[in-house]
Amino acid sequence: MNELTEIISPDEQMIKDEFNALLNDYLNSNHRRKVERITKAFNFANQAHAGVKRRSGEPYIMHPLAVARIVCREMGLGSTSICSALLHDVVEDTEYTVEDIRNMFDDKIAQIVDGLTKISGGIFGEQASTQAENFRKLLLTMSSDIRVILIKIADRLHNMRTLGSMLPAKQFKIAGETLYLYAPLAHRLGLFSIKTELEDLSFKYEHPEEYKHIKEKLAATEASRQTLFEHFAKPLNKKLEEMGLDFEMRARVKSIYSIWNKMQTKGVAFEDIYDIFAVRIIFEPKAGVDEKNLCWDIYSAITDIYRIRPDRIRDWVSRPKANGYQALHLTVMGPDGQWIEIQIRSHRMDDIAEKGFAAHWKYKEKHVEEDTELDKWLETITEILESPDPDALDFLDTIKLNLFTSEIFVFTPKGDIKTLPQGATALDFAYALHSNIGNKCIGAKVNHRLVPLSHPLSSGDQVEILTSRSQKPQAEWLNFVTTARARSKIDAVLKRNRKEQAKEGEIKVVNALKKAGIDPNIANIEKLSIYFGFSKREEFFYSVEKNDIILPENLKKILREKTDNALFKYVRQALGVKQKELPASTEPEIKKESPKFDRSKPYVLREEAFERNYVIASCCKPIPGDDALGFINDDGNVVVHKRSCPIAMRLKSSFGERILSTVWSSHKNASFEATLEIKGIDSIGVLNIITKTISEDFNVNIQRLLIEAKDGVFEGKVRIWVHDVEDIQKMCVSLSKIKNIKSVGRIAE
């Protein structure tokens, strides 16, 4: 009798293999063995997504499986998170509801899936204000269960890993918001390896040429780095083995994005970055010996062999960072005359550095419960949520500001420690103590010396806050606070004061209308508000109270006139369109329909008969040859930005559906404005040589030249007209060869 053999399609085999890999990851963790519920969640999700394909062509269920594997293997989370990851798209993409999930599984999984569904449009919101509000929802959800944001980060990581199948415009949008929000959030939560991968993948799609260039440079210098490492490690290995330590020593190369970022911020070439690689020593603790003491024993062994650089010691073993990071960092002079950074960690510290607090579970007793361990995560971003009514992009920037910061430790007069972000001021410290102390703050004593509110604090400072009952928060305070808590408290008071002043202004407007014999109804007040160019009545009332607007006597005449022109003028202003004189007709011109753009291929930037099919962004002023992208404004025009422009970063994150990938056509007959910055040693005739080189050798028109010399050194800015980036590069090479010129580079102005 023939046995029946089950025939499995290639897709089914792929799904089966990936699910088995997920189970293996889970069984190798310390979590309770709840394989049945994971299998149940997989079968449910597989059936719900049956027949649906991703853009890459593979079955859709491969995405939830990949997210679940990231959650398990790379974040160390347990069965609740794995089930939620498998089910994270079911409610959004199929007919099933959160109630169905609750009935099939439990309240906790249903709550997490519901949180993920609610924020699914969040960072992808079409308008900036909607986006900010959705991101706030994300953070609020996170405060009730951190797993929502962890699974969301895992979801984004898999999307970035498979971004190659997307259209270029979509790639820019997703890469931009990843760099803007997800990478810093992963950093703040201690997910270092995920943060690094998100940055590198974003950079790969935003700046493919630079990415490729740095990758090739790293490959070309790999052999020399290996030789350097071997020379350094040989005597140290011997010393640590003599101490009886169980350890591994390896070289860690700086990420491609970090290298590029340092090249940009420091204005240096790849060859000038001395910390491209660091040495990491990871040890197994000895029974009965404190990890911290072992770190310092290894430190002592290193400094017996190599000369240390004292200003580069970082002790995060005694006092870990807020995101859980622990390590001892030092920099020494290697045997080949190069500075080498060394990071000393135990295996536990290394796991926490790579995976965040989740790695703690690995060092607990076997079969830990996931839920009891998650409380450690919840204190990181809650202060940002205290803001009652955040303004959209300001709110996002505040979050971003707080996510990126490293910490300083400051003491109260009684010796209590407060942790603040790097760059925090005395006023930030006042608000960290209590909002009433912040509101009444008039100054501070730092280390017993009187300082202003704006004084930046350093680690180890002892701070005493001085207050006065008559003090009130001022608008300029927003210029010198860095923490979200202080900003939100000041904002709240200012908004309250503004509302009170607006009420006084409203009374003045109503009285003025009554005096003119006009009914003070909403319609009349609205017309008056628009006439003076305000979109909101409250802003109009506030300006009246502050005497920025003086109400005329002839209010009847103003309200009798047609307000169409004034209204149209305001609408155009609000849309950011340059004002044009309106025709004499009282009817506003009809706005033409925006042209349609084919996003499946790059938009070609052309110049024909002195007319361009695009507008150059004034913030970054790209020229042909720059990595650029297009943004469709409200007038239907394509505004071209450099891809690295901060404004473009916000546009990608907030208005992704308006982003176009672009390519430059030949622009040899067109001219573009660019600014060069030149620095060097001041000497007779240097200015003459510079102008002669630019004007005569390159036949370029100089628009503006500003040179300043001080103490034997000069700095200059030259604004010129060029055809493309190639012109700039040739000019920089020629100028840099001039004697006494030390650096030449293009800058945004």
Side-chain angles (χ1 to χ4, degrees), residues 260-329:
W260 178 79
N261 212 19
K262 194 157 194 176
M263 285 164 65
Q264 299 301 306
T265 52
K266 302 281 185 188
V268 294
F270 177 90
E271 290 73 18
D272 298 326
I273 298 176
Y274 75 86
D275 60 345
I276 278 183
F277 90 101
V279 173
R280 193 170 285 169
I281 299 171
I282 301 164
F283 63 87
E284 197 62 56
K286 289 181 178 178
V289 181
D290 185 50
E291 280 182 349
K292 187 164 71 171
N293 292 341
L294 269 178
C295 284
W296 287 106
D297 287 346
I298 294 169
Y299 167 89
S300 180
I302 295 166
T303 53
D304 284 348
I305 301 172
Y306 295 116
R307 185 161 57 86
I308 192 166
R309 186 170 162 175
D311 62 322
R312 296 286 296 169
I313 299 170
R314 300 288 181 268
D315 176 13
W316 286 304
V317 174
S318 307
R319 186 166 294 283
K321 287 186 181 184
N323 61 12
Y325 181 85
Q326 267 186 296
L328 183 58
H329 290 202

Side-chain angles (χ1 to χ4, degrees), residues 184-201:
L185 192 53
H187 174 71
R188 189 69 169 142
L189 294 174
L191 303 166
F192 179 78
S193 57
I194 288 176
K195 166 247 185 191
T196 303
E197 188 176 352
L198 287 173
E199 286 177 341
D200 271 4
L201 287 168

Side-chain angles (χ1 to χ4, degrees), residues 481-552:
V481 291
T482 62
T483 59
R485 177 186 174 85
R487 187 171 291 278
S488 66
K489 294 295 180 189
I490 295 165
D491 264 336
V493 174
L494 292 177
K495 281 175 184 172
R496 194 162 60 241
N497 292 346
R498 194 179 175 97
K499 277 187 177 177
E500 287 168 7
Q501 286 178 301
K503 281 181 183 173
E504 296 296 320
E506 184 178 6
I507 293 167
K508 286 184 179 178
V509 171
V510 169
N511 288 341
L513 287 169
K514 284 180 179 175
K515 188 178 175 183
I518 302 166
D519 182 11
N521 56 35
I522 289 173
N524 282 332
I525 292 173
E526 195 78 47
K527 281 181 185 178
L528 206 55
S529 169
I530 289 170
Y531 176 84
F532 284 105
F534 292 91
S535 59
K536 294 179 181 175
R537 292 196 302 276
E538 194 173 87
E539 289 175 3
F540 172 53
F541 296 149
Y542 178 75
S543 294
V544 170
E545 174 60 22
K546 295 283 286 181
N547 289 325
D548 293 338
I549 296 289
I550 307 296
L551 295 175

Side-chain angles (χ1 to χ4, degrees), residues 31-47:
H31 292 282
R32 291 187 183 278
R33 303 290 179 256
K34 295 182 179 176
V35 176
E36 300 79 15
R37 79 196 296 226
I38 293 173
T39 307
K40 183 181 176 184
F42 163 69
N43 289 331
F44 183 77
N46 195 18
Q47 173 264 320

Side-chain angles (χ1 to χ4, degrees), residues 7 15 26 92 109 242 408 489 521 528 554 569 578:
I7 299 171
I15 294 166
Y26 176 64
E92 188 184 357
I109 290 175
E242 286 171 0
I408 59 170
K489 294 295 180 189
N521 56 35
L528 206 55
N554 56 345
K569 182 180 175 186
K578 285 184 181 175

Side-chain angles (χ1 to χ4, degrees), residues 60-295:
Y60 191 85
I61 188 65
M62 293 299 288
H63 169 63
L65 274 169
V67 175
R69 287 196 71 189
I70 292 168
V71 159
C72 177
R73 188 176 72 251
E74 297 178 50
M75 292 182 175
L77 300 173
S79 62
T80 301
S81 296
I82 293 168
C83 291
S84 303
L86 287 166
L87 300 165
H88 79 272
D89 279 336
V90 166
V91 174
E92 188 184 357
D93 294 344
T94 74
E95 298 300 314
Y96 290 103
T97 64
V98 174
E99 281 307 310
D100 294 329
I101 303 286
R102 185 173 281 109
N103 294 334
M104 285 284 291
F105 298 93
D106 58 35
D107 284 344
K108 183 56 71 178
I109 290 175
Q111 179 192 344
I112 296 168
V113 172
D114 186 34
L116 286 160
T117 306
K118 280 176 181 167
I119 61 168
S120 62
I123 313 303
F124 311 96
E126 303 226 339
Q127 297 298 322
S129 55
T130 316
Q131 176 196 4
E133 192 48 44
N134 278 314
F135 192 59
R136 189 158 189 259
K137 277 185 205 166
L138 179 149
L139 292 170
L140 285 163
T141 314
M142 168 180 160
S143 67
S144 63
D145 200 314
I146 191 78
R147 284 170 289 205
V148 173
I149 190 63
L150 293 177
I151 295 167
K152 191 69 186 167
I153 289 172
D155 176 48
R156 174 47 61 103
L157 178 58
H158 185 246
N159 283 338
M160 287 302 297
R161 285 173 177 173
T162 56
L163 197 58
S165 58
M166 293 285 186
L167 295 171
K170 191 78 170 170
Q171 288 175 350
F172 291 152
K173 172 191 184 301
I174 293 173
E177 68 197 14
T178 299
L179 209 52
Y180 187 72
L181 293 169
Y182 283 91
L185 192 53
H187 174 71
R188 189 69 169 142
L189 294 174
L191 303 166
F192 179 78
S193 57
I194 288 176
K195 166 247 185 191
T196 303
E197 188 176 352
L198 287 173
E199 286 177 341
D200 271 4
L201 287 168
S202 298
F203 180 57
K204 178 183 173 182
Y205 288 103
E206 292 216 299
H207 299 280
E209 290 302 316
E210 283 97 328
Y211 179 88
K212 185 183 171 189
H213 173 71
I214 295 172
K215 193 174 181 181
E216 286 170 354
K217 286 267 191 182
L218 283 173
T221 53
E222 187 176 359
S224 61
R225 277 198 308 276
Q226 187 58 34
T227 305
L228 187 70
F229 173 63
E230 286 167 4
H231 285 180
F232 167 81
K234 192 175 179 181
L236 192 54
N237 266 323
K238 188 181 174 186
K239 178 98 174 173
L240 296 179
E241 282 166 5
E242 286 171 0
M243 291 167 64
L245 287 172
D246 179 6
F247 71 96
E248 60 174 309
M249 193 186 309
R250 56 175 183 251
R252 178 198 64 84
V253 178
K254 207 175 187 73
S255 74
I256 292 176
Y257 175 75
S258 296
I259 292 170
W260 178 79
N261 212 19
K262 194 157 194 176
M263 285 164 65
Q264 299 301 306
T265 52
K266 302 281 185 188
V268 294
F270 177 90
E271 290 73 18
D272 298 326
I273 298 176
Y274 75 86
D275 60 345
I276 278 183
F277 90 101
V279 173
R280 193 170 285 169
I281 299 171
I282 301 164
F283 63 87
E284 197 62 56
K286 289 181 178 178
V289 181
D290 185 50
E291 280 182 349
K292 187 164 71 171
N293 292 341
L294 269 178
C295 284

